[in-house]
Amino acid sequence: MRRTRTDFLFAILLASFTSFLYQSNACTAALLTLTVFCTFTVGSLRHFLMLWLSAGILALYFIFGQQQLANQAKRPAFTGEMAIRVQRDQLRLTTEGTVSGQGRLESGEKVLFNYQATSQKDLDRFIESDHARWLLGQGEKRPIMGPTNDYQFDFRRYWQSQKVTHQIQLKTVAMQEAKASNPVVALIYFSAPGPFQSRKVGGTVTQSPS
């Protein structure tokens, strides 16, 4: 029974800490404070120390991740050649010819992207794609904008909770099939050699129709 209580307090402590870390406000601060006081009700000193040791290790992990995310969010906008790896189910197409979604850069960074197809033939390339692809082309990468008034939904904070800090507006797109470098990498990370790192990934490159 005591072990069950300790495990429950650990879960509540971890949940309250992560809530405060990702959405710090009076409510999450009060919840974290209350949970901290509850940990002192653990009868066993060994369980108390184990509880705080485990929570401390995980807290350092979350803090490190948040610091990396904060540094990533500070990267300035730039224009240049982009390579975004996208799964088929991450693409969203509209009747107006807009292609958008979420993908990963060669570095592994998650980004949002948008592209305006120039014709129906251009849009059909994305419809016909049924597996992972590299989207290659010129584009502008910029930080996701925050709300412009007090009552507007904060998309920047929402996407940061998903570990996404930047969006890319693509001007041109060429598509290349993405192949995993080995079965283990494919299973764990769904990764592939970057098209700018290696051209020996197979598949043909489909250019934007002129």
Side-chain angles (χ1 to χ4, degrees), residues 105-144:
L105 301 179
E106 293 179 278
S107 63
E109 178 186 344
K110 294 166 64 176
V111 294
L112 303 179
F113 68 88
N114 285 277
Y115 171 70
Q116 183 61 49
T118 57
S119 64
Q120 185 59 46
K121 183 180 179 181
D122 191 13
L123 186 63
D124 288 343
R125 297 183 301 141
F126 297 91
I127 298 175
E128 295 164 0
S129 175
D130 58 356
H131 45 266
R133 292 272 180 170
W134 283 104
L135 304 185
L136 316 174
Q138 288 289 321
E140 181 187 7
K141 180 185 177 185
R142 58 183 183 271
I144 298 174

mmCIF file of all heavy atoms in Angstrom, residues 105-144:
data_model
loop_
_atom_site.group_PDB
_atom_site.id
_atom_site.type_symbol
_atom_site.label_atom_id
_atom_site.label_comp_id
_atom_site.label_asym_id
_atom_site.label_seq_id
_atom_site.Cartn_x
_atom_site.Cartn_y
_atom_site.Cartn_z
ATOM 1 N N LEU A 105 13.605 18.597 -40.971
ATOM 2 C CA LEU A 105 14.780 18.980 -41.726
ATOM 3 C C LEU A 105 15.838 17.882 -41.621
ATOM 4 O O LEU A 105 15.682 16.925 -40.855
ATOM 5 C CB LEU A 105 15.338 20.304 -41.204
ATOM 6 C CG LEU A 105 14.386 21.509 -41.238
ATOM 7 C CD1 LEU A 105 15.084 22.737 -40.664
ATOM 8 C CD2 LEU A 105 13.907 21.786 -42.647
ATOM 9 N N GLU A 106 16.916 18.035 -42.367
ATOM 10 C CA GLU A 106 17.995 17.049 -42.307
ATOM 11 C C GLU A 106 18.598 16.952 -40.905
ATOM 12 O O GLU A 106 19.099 15.910 -40.504
ATOM 13 C CB GLU A 106 19.086 17.412 -43.311
ATOM 14 C CG GLU A 106 18.642 17.297 -44.761
ATOM 15 C CD GLU A 106 19.735 17.698 -45.721
ATOM 16 O OE1 GLU A 106 19.908 18.896 -45.963
ATOM 17 O OE2 GLU A 106 20.431 16.788 -46.222
ATOM 18 N N SER A 107 18.542 18.044 -40.155
ATOM 19 C CA SER A 107 19.074 18.054 -38.790
ATOM 20 C C SER A 107 18.171 17.317 -37.812
ATOM 21 O O SER A 107 18.561 17.067 -36.672
ATOM 22 C CB SER A 107 19.253 19.497 -38.324
ATOM 23 O OG SER A 107 17.995 20.166 -38.274
ATOM 24 N N GLY A 108 16.940 16.984 -38.236
ATOM 25 C CA GLY A 108 15.976 16.343 -37.353
ATOM 26 C C GLY A 108 14.975 17.315 -36.761
ATOM 27 O O GLY A 108 14.017 16.904 -36.101
ATOM 28 N N GLU A 109 15.176 18.618 -36.974
ATOM 29 C CA GLU A 109 14.261 19.627 -36.435
ATOM 30 C C GLU A 109 12.895 19.530 -37.095
ATOM 31 O O GLU A 109 12.788 19.429 -38.321
ATOM 32 C CB GLU A 109 14.836 21.025 -36.666
ATOM 33 C CG GLU A 109 13.940 22.149 -36.174
ATOM 34 C CD GLU A 109 14.472 23.523 -36.544
ATOM 35 O OE1 GLU A 109 15.663 23.615 -36.910
ATOM 36 O OE2 GLU A 109 13.710 24.498 -36.451
ATOM 37 N N LYS A 110 11.841 19.563 -36.288
ATOM 38 C CA LYS A 110 10.477 19.537 -36.801
ATOM 39 C C LYS A 110 10.061 20.947 -37.225
ATOM 40 O O LYS A 110 10.302 21.905 -36.496
ATOM 41 C CB LYS A 110 9.522 18.996 -35.735
ATOM 42 C CG LYS A 110 9.765 17.541 -35.380
ATOM 43 C CD LYS A 110 9.048 17.130 -34.108
ATOM 44 C CE LYS A 110 7.543 17.207 -34.244
ATOM 45 N NZ LYS A 110 6.858 16.712 -33.028
ATOM 46 N N VAL A 111 9.422 21.052 -38.389
ATOM 47 C CA VAL A 111 8.989 22.344 -38.902
ATOM 48 C C VAL A 111 7.613 22.216 -39.546
ATOM 49 O O VAL A 111 7.192 21.127 -39.944
ATOM 50 C CB VAL A 111 9.971 22.912 -39.954
ATOM 51 C CG1 VAL A 111 11.323 23.236 -39.326
ATOM 52 C CG2 VAL A 111 10.142 21.942 -41.124
ATOM 53 N N LEU A 112 6.922 23.347 -39.650
ATOM 54 C CA LEU A 112 5.724 23.451 -40.467
ATOM 55 C C LEU A 112 6.141 23.979 -41.835
ATOM 56 O O LEU A 112 7.146 24.673 -41.955
ATOM 57 C CB LEU A 112 4.712 24.401 -39.831
ATOM 58 C CG LEU A 112 4.258 24.080 -38.410
ATOM 59 C CD1 LEU A 112 3.271 25.153 -37.932
ATOM 60 C CD2 LEU A 112 3.620 22.715 -38.324
ATOM 61 N N PHE A 113 5.377 23.675 -42.866
ATOM 62 C CA PHE A 113 5.705 24.194 -44.184
ATOM 63 C C PHE A 113 4.436 24.486 -44.976
ATOM 64 O O PHE A 113 3.363 23.929 -44.711
ATOM 65 C CB PHE A 113 6.586 23.206 -44.966
ATOM 66 C CG PHE A 113 5.885 21.933 -45.353
ATOM 67 C CD1 PHE A 113 5.177 21.828 -46.541
ATOM 68 C CD2 PHE A 113 5.924 20.839 -44.512
ATOM 69 C CE1 PHE A 113 4.520 20.656 -46.881
ATOM 70 C CE2 PHE A 113 5.275 19.662 -44.843
ATOM 71 C CZ PHE A 113 4.576 19.566 -46.036
ATOM 72 N N ASN A 114 4.571 25.398 -45.937
ATOM 73 C CA ASN A 114 3.482 25.758 -46.841
ATOM 74 C C ASN A 114 4.045 25.901 -48.247
ATOM 75 O O ASN A 114 5.178 26.347 -48.435
ATOM 76 C CB ASN A 114 2.837 27.084 -46.421
ATOM 77 C CG ASN A 114 1.960 26.937 -45.200
ATOM 78 O OD1 ASN A 114 0.808 26.545 -45.287
ATOM 79 N ND2 ASN A 114 2.510 27.248 -44.039
ATOM 80 N N TYR A 115 3.224 25.538 -49.226
ATOM 81 C CA TYR A 115 3.608 25.701 -50.629
ATOM 82 C C TYR A 115 2.335 25.933 -51.430
ATOM 83 O O TYR A 115 1.324 25.252 -51.221
ATOM 84 C CB TYR A 115 4.346 24.466 -51.141
ATOM 85 C CG TYR A 115 4.578 24.473 -52.629
ATOM 86 C CD1 TYR A 115 5.478 25.371 -53.205
ATOM 87 C CD2 TYR A 115 3.901 23.593 -53.466
ATOM 88 C CE1 TYR A 115 5.692 25.387 -54.579
ATOM 89 C CE2 TYR A 115 4.112 23.598 -54.834
ATOM 90 C CZ TYR A 115 5.001 24.499 -55.385
ATOM 91 O OH TYR A 115 5.211 24.516 -56.741
ATOM 92 N N GLN A 116 2.374 26.888 -52.341
ATOM 93 C CA GLN A 116 1.239 27.171 -53.203
ATOM 94 C C GLN A 116 1.507 26.580 -54.579
ATOM 95 O O GLN A 116 2.393 27.020 -55.302
ATOM 96 C CB GLN A 116 1.004 28.686 -53.324
ATOM 97 C CG GLN A 116 -0.210 29.057 -54.156
ATOM 98 C CD GLN A 116 -1.512 28.522 -53.571
ATOM 99 O OE1 GLN A 116 -1.776 28.685 -52.372
ATOM 100 N NE2 GLN A 116 -2.322 27.872 -54.396
ATOM 101 N N ALA A 117 0.739 25.548 -54.934
ATOM 102 C CA ALA A 117 0.913 24.907 -56.234
ATOM 103 C C ALA A 117 0.575 25.892 -57.352
ATOM 104 O O ALA A 117 -0.345 26.711 -57.224
ATOM 105 C CB ALA A 117 0.035 23.671 -56.342
ATOM 106 N N THR A 118 1.312 25.792 -58.446
ATOM 107 C CA THR A 118 1.127 26.731 -59.557
ATOM 108 C C THR A 118 0.094 26.254 -60.564
ATOM 109 O O THR A 118 -0.376 27.045 -61.390
ATOM 110 C CB THR A 118 2.474 26.949 -60.274
ATOM 111 O OG1 THR A 118 2.980 25.673 -60.726
ATOM 112 C CG2 THR A 118 3.490 27.578 -59.332
ATOM 113 N N SER A 119 -0.259 24.971 -60.511
ATOM 114 C CA SER A 119 -1.231 24.421 -61.455
ATOM 115 C C SER A 119 -1.773 23.110 -60.902
ATOM 116 O O SER A 119 -1.267 22.586 -59.890
ATOM 117 C CB SER A 119 -0.568 24.176 -62.819
ATOM 118 O OG SER A 119 0.439 23.185 -62.701
ATOM 119 N N GLN A 120 -2.784 22.557 -61.562
ATOM 120 C CA GLN A 120 -3.334 21.274 -61.136
ATOM 121 C C GLN A 120 -2.301 20.167 -61.303
ATOM 122 O O GLN A 120 -2.212 19.246 -60.483
ATOM 123 C CB GLN A 120 -4.581 20.938 -61.953
ATOM 124 C CG GLN A 120 -5.295 19.679 -61.499
ATOM 125 C CD GLN A 120 -5.760 19.745 -60.053
ATOM 126 O OE1 GLN A 120 -6.335 20.744 -59.633
ATOM 127 N NE2 GLN A 120 -5.517 18.690 -59.284
ATOM 128 N N LYS A 121 -1.492 20.257 -62.360
ATOM 129 C CA LYS A 121 -0.434 19.279 -62.577
ATOM 130 C C LYS A 121 0.585 19.316 -61.451
ATOM 131 O O LYS A 121 1.071 18.276 -60.991
ATOM 132 C CB LYS A 121 0.244 19.551 -63.919
ATOM 133 C CG LYS A 121 1.328 18.542 -64.269
ATOM 134 C CD LYS A 121 1.955 18.865 -65.615
ATOM 135 C CE LYS A 121 3.069 17.862 -65.958
ATOM 136 N NZ LYS A 121 3.699 18.170 -67.262
ATOM 137 N N ASP A 122 0.886 20.521 -61.004
ATOM 138 C CA ASP A 122 1.815 20.689 -59.883
ATOM 139 C C ASP A 122 1.238 20.060 -58.622
ATOM 140 O O ASP A 122 1.935 19.362 -57.872
ATOM 141 C CB ASP A 122 2.084 22.179 -59.675
ATOM 142 C CG ASP A 122 3.231 22.445 -58.701
ATOM 143 O OD1 ASP A 122 3.969 21.498 -58.390
ATOM 144 O OD2 ASP A 122 3.381 23.598 -58.272
ATOM 145 N N LEU A 123 -0.052 20.265 -58.376
ATOM 146 C CA LEU A 123 -0.701 19.716 -57.180
ATOM 147 C C LEU A 123 -0.808 18.199 -57.247
ATOM 148 O O LEU A 123 -0.688 17.516 -56.218
ATOM 149 C CB LEU A 123 -2.093 20.336 -57.022
ATOM 150 C CG LEU A 123 -2.868 19.983 -55.748
ATOM 151 C CD1 LEU A 123 -2.147 20.489 -54.511
ATOM 152 C CD2 LEU A 123 -4.279 20.566 -55.812
ATOM 153 N N ASP A 124 -1.014 17.662 -58.450
ATOM 154 C CA ASP A 124 -1.173 16.214 -58.596
ATOM 155 C C ASP A 124 0.067 15.444 -58.158
ATOM 156 O O ASP A 124 -0.029 14.286 -57.751
ATOM 157 C CB ASP A 124 -1.490 15.868 -60.060
ATOM 158 C CG ASP A 124 -2.905 16.284 -60.449
ATOM 159 O OD1 ASP A 124 -3.710 16.527 -59.528
ATOM 160 O OD2 ASP A 124 -3.186 16.376 -61.661
ATOM 161 N N ARG A 125 1.228 16.068 -58.220
ATOM 162 C CA ARG A 125 2.455 15.395 -57.780
ATOM 163 C C ARG A 125 2.359 14.970 -56.319
ATOM 164 O O ARG A 125 2.841 13.921 -55.916
ATOM 165 C CB ARG A 125 3.669 16.300 -57.960
ATOM 166 C CG ARG A 125 3.983 16.690 -59.379
ATOM 167 C CD ARG A 125 5.241 17.525 -59.431
ATOM 168 N NE ARG A 125 5.144 18.736 -58.631
ATOM 169 C CZ ARG A 125 6.133 19.231 -57.894
ATOM 170 N NH1 ARG A 125 7.289 18.606 -57.826
ATOM 171 N NH2 ARG A 125 5.974 20.344 -57.205
ATOM 172 N N PHE A 126 1.728 15.813 -55.512
ATOM 173 C CA PHE A 126 1.596 15.523 -54.084
ATOM 174 C C PHE A 126 0.513 14.482 -53.841
ATOM 175 O O PHE A 126 0.620 13.667 -52.924
ATOM 176 C CB PHE A 126 1.279 16.804 -53.323
ATOM 177 C CG PHE A 126 2.353 17.848 -53.407
ATOM 178 C CD1 PHE A 126 2.339 18.806 -54.415
ATOM 179 C CD2 PHE A 126 3.394 17.862 -52.496
ATOM 180 C CE1 PHE A 126 3.333 19.770 -54.491
ATOM 181 C CE2 PHE A 126 4.393 18.822 -52.573
ATOM 182 C CZ PHE A 126 4.361 19.776 -53.575
ATOM 183 N N ILE A 127 -0.527 14.493 -54.653
ATOM 184 C CA ILE A 127 -1.608 13.520 -54.508
ATOM 185 C C ILE A 127 -1.108 12.117 -54.841
ATOM 186 O O ILE A 127 -1.461 11.138 -54.191
ATOM 187 C CB ILE A 127 -2.790 13.894 -55.418
ATOM 188 C CG1 ILE A 127 -3.351 15.260 -55.019
ATOM 189 C CG2 ILE A 127 -3.888 12.826 -55.353
ATOM 190 C CD1 ILE A 127 -4.435 15.783 -55.934
ATOM 191 N N GLU A 128 -0.254 12.034 -55.858
ATOM 192 C CA GLU A 128 0.246 10.737 -56.302
ATOM 193 C C GLU A 128 1.309 10.173 -55.373
ATOM 194 O O GLU A 128 1.617 8.989 -55.422
ATOM 195 C CB GLU A 128 0.827 10.877 -57.715
ATOM 196 C CG GLU A 128 -0.226 11.229 -58.761
ATOM 197 C CD GLU A 128 0.395 11.731 -60.059
ATOM 198 O OE1 GLU A 128 1.649 11.804 -60.117
ATOM 199 O OE2 GLU A 128 -0.367 12.065 -60.990
ATOM 200 N N SER A 129 1.880 11.002 -54.532
ATOM 201 C CA SER A 129 2.920 10.538 -53.614
ATOM 202 C C SER A 129 2.282 9.760 -52.462
ATOM 203 O O SER A 129 1.461 10.298 -51.719
ATOM 204 C CB SER A 129 3.707 11.737 -53.066
ATOM 205 O OG SER A 129 4.637 11.319 -52.103
ATOM 206 N N ASP A 130 2.655 8.477 -52.303
ATOM 207 C CA ASP A 130 2.043 7.648 -51.262
ATOM 208 C C ASP A 130 3.063 7.129 -50.251
ATOM 209 O O ASP A 130 2.804 6.180 -49.530
ATOM 210 C CB ASP A 130 1.291 6.468 -51.888
ATOM 211 C CG ASP A 130 2.202 5.599 -52.757
ATOM 212 O OD1 ASP A 130 3.379 5.971 -52.921
ATOM 213 O OD2 ASP A 130 1.726 4.560 -53.259
ATOM 214 N N HIS A 131 4.257 7.742 -50.209
ATOM 215 C CA HIS A 131 5.265 7.330 -49.229
ATOM 216 C C HIS A 131 6.114 8.548 -48.870
ATOM 217 O O HIS A 131 5.861 9.650 -49.350
ATOM 218 C CB HIS A 131 6.142 6.196 -49.787
ATOM 219 C CG HIS A 131 6.601 6.420 -51.183
ATOM 220 N ND1 HIS A 131 5.945 5.930 -52.279
ATOM 221 C CD2 HIS A 131 7.648 7.128 -51.669
ATOM 222 C CE1 HIS A 131 6.562 6.294 -53.384
ATOM 223 N NE2 HIS A 131 7.601 7.030 -53.041
ATOM 224 N N ALA A 132 7.096 8.328 -48.019
ATOM 225 C CA ALA A 132 7.919 9.444 -47.549
ATOM 226 C C ALA A 132 8.684 10.090 -48.695
ATOM 227 O O ALA A 132 9.207 9.408 -49.579
ATOM 228 C CB ALA A 132 8.899 8.954 -46.484
ATOM 229 N N ARG A 133 8.733 11.418 -48.662
ATOM 230 C CA ARG A 133 9.403 12.177 -49.715
ATOM 231 C C ARG A 133 10.243 13.290 -49.106
ATOM 232 O O ARG A 133 9.934 13.814 -48.038
ATOM 233 C CB ARG A 133 8.375 12.825 -50.645
ATOM 234 C CG ARG A 133 7.586 11.847 -51.499
ATOM 235 C CD ARG A 133 8.299 11.562 -52.788
ATOM 236 N NE ARG A 133 7.563 10.628 -53.627
ATOM 237 C CZ ARG A 133 7.888 10.367 -54.879
ATOM 238 N NH1 ARG A 133 8.923 10.974 -55.432
ATOM 239 N NH2 ARG A 133 7.215 9.488 -55.580
ATOM 240 N N TRP A 134 11.313 13.655 -49.831
ATOM 241 C CA TRP A 134 12.030 14.892 -49.538
ATOM 242 C C TRP A 134 11.438 15.983 -50.403
ATOM 243 O O TRP A 134 11.306 15.814 -51.615
ATOM 244 C CB TRP A 134 13.518 14.751 -49.862
ATOM 245 C CG TRP A 134 14.311 13.988 -48.848
ATOM 246 C CD1 TRP A 134 14.762 12.708 -48.955
ATOM 247 C CD2 TRP A 134 14.756 14.470 -47.575
ATOM 248 N NE1 TRP A 134 15.444 12.353 -47.828
ATOM 249 C CE2 TRP A 134 15.468 13.415 -46.965
ATOM 250 C CE3 TRP A 134 14.617 15.676 -46.895
ATOM 251 C CZ2 TRP A 134 16.043 13.537 -45.710
ATOM 252 C CZ3 TRP A 134 15.203 15.799 -45.638
ATOM 253 C CH2 TRP A 134 15.903 14.745 -45.058
ATOM 254 N N LEU A 135 11.049 17.093 -49.804
ATOM 255 C CA LEU A 135 10.633 18.277 -50.547
ATOM 256 C C LEU A 135 11.840 19.205 -50.622
ATOM 257 O O LEU A 135 12.329 19.684 -49.594
ATOM 258 C CB LEU A 135 9.466 18.978 -49.847
ATOM 259 C CG LEU A 135 8.221 18.127 -49.571
ATOM 260 C CD1 LEU A 135 7.112 19.004 -48.995
ATOM 261 C CD2 LEU A 135 7.742 17.392 -50.810
ATOM 262 N N LEU A 136 12.316 19.448 -51.816
ATOM 263 C CA LEU A 136 13.534 20.229 -52.025
ATOM 264 C C LEU A 136 13.201 21.512 -52.752
ATOM 265 O O LEU A 136 12.406 21.510 -53.694
ATOM 266 C CB LEU A 136 14.550 19.435 -52.861
ATOM 267 C CG LEU A 136 14.740 17.959 -52.501
ATOM 268 C CD1 LEU A 136 15.650 17.283 -53.514
ATOM 269 C CD2 LEU A 136 15.312 17.836 -51.110
ATOM 270 N N GLY A 137 13.787 22.611 -52.325
ATOM 271 C CA GLY A 137 13.560 23.856 -53.037
ATOM 272 C C GLY A 137 13.923 25.086 -52.233
ATOM 273 O O GLY A 137 14.326 25.001 -51.076
ATOM 274 N N GLN A 138 13.759 26.227 -52.887
ATOM 275 C CA GLN A 138 14.016 27.502 -52.227
ATOM 276 C C GLN A 138 12.838 27.854 -51.316
ATOM 277 O O GLN A 138 11.680 27.611 -51.653
ATOM 278 C CB GLN A 138 14.197 28.607 -53.269
ATOM 279 C CG GLN A 138 15.510 28.527 -54.033
ATOM 280 C CD GLN A 138 16.695 28.899 -53.162
ATOM 281 O OE1 GLN A 138 16.612 29.814 -52.345
ATOM 282 N NE2 GLN A 138 17.809 28.195 -53.340
ATOM 283 N N GLY A 139 13.152 28.438 -50.182
ATOM 284 C CA GLY A 139 12.097 28.818 -49.260
ATOM 285 C C GLY A 139 12.593 29.759 -48.182
ATOM 286 O O GLY A 139 13.797 30.008 -48.059
ATOM 287 N N GLU A 140 11.666 30.258 -47.416
ATOM 288 C CA GLU A 140 11.992 31.143 -46.287
ATOM 289 C C GLU A 140 11.588 30.460 -44.992
ATOM 290 O O GLU A 140 10.425 30.074 -44.807
ATOM 291 C CB GLU A 140 11.268 32.479 -46.409
ATOM 292 C CG GLU A 140 11.588 33.435 -45.263
ATOM 293 C CD GLU A 140 10.738 34.696 -45.281
ATOM 294 O OE1 GLU A 140 9.800 34.775 -46.100
ATOM 295 O OE2 GLU A 140 11.009 35.590 -44.457
ATOM 296 N N LYS A 141 12.548 30.311 -44.099
ATOM 297 C CA LYS A 141 12.291 29.734 -42.785
ATOM 298 C C LYS A 141 12.225 30.871 -41.770
ATOM 299 O O LYS A 141 13.142 31.677 -41.680
ATOM 300 C CB LYS A 141 13.413 28.762 -42.406
ATOM 301 C CG LYS A 141 13.222 28.109 -41.041
ATOM 302 C CD LYS A 141 14.427 27.251 -40.691
ATOM 303 C CE LYS A 141 14.279 26.648 -39.294
ATOM 304 N NZ LYS A 141 15.485 25.913 -38.864
ATOM 305 N N ARG A 142 11.136 30.930 -41.016
ATOM 306 C CA ARG A 142 10.959 32.001 -40.041
ATOM 307 C C ARG A 142 10.274 31.467 -38.794
ATOM 308 O O ARG A 142 9.531 30.486 -38.850
ATOM 309 C CB ARG A 142 10.145 33.147 -40.642
ATOM 310 C CG ARG A 142 8.767 32.751 -41.137
ATOM 311 C CD ARG A 142 8.063 33.940 -41.780
ATOM 312 N NE ARG A 142 6.705 33.612 -42.206
ATOM 313 C CZ ARG A 142 6.402 33.120 -43.390
ATOM 314 N NH1 ARG A 142 7.359 32.879 -44.287
ATOM 315 N NH2 ARG A 142 5.142 32.855 -43.711
ATOM 316 N N PRO A 143 10.483 32.136 -37.654
ATOM 317 C CA PRO A 143 9.828 31.700 -36.411
ATOM 318 C C PRO A 143 8.312 31.825 -36.516
ATOM 319 O O PRO A 143 7.786 32.715 -37.195
ATOM 320 C CB PRO A 143 10.389 32.662 -35.358
ATOM 321 C CG PRO A 143 11.657 33.198 -35.947
ATOM 322 C CD PRO A 143 11.420 33.256 -37.422
ATOM 323 N N ILE A 144 7.608 30.930 -35.847
ATOM 324 C CA ILE A 144 6.146 31.000 -35.792
ATOM 325 C C ILE A 144 5.741 32.220 -34.981
ATOM 326 O O ILE A 144 6.243 32.446 -33.886
ATOM 327 C CB ILE A 144 5.560 29.713 -35.175
ATOM 328 C CG1 ILE A 144 5.916 28.504 -36.049
ATOM 329 C CG2 ILE A 144 4.056 29.827 -35.001
ATOM 330 C CD1 ILE A 144 5.517 27.177 -35.459
#
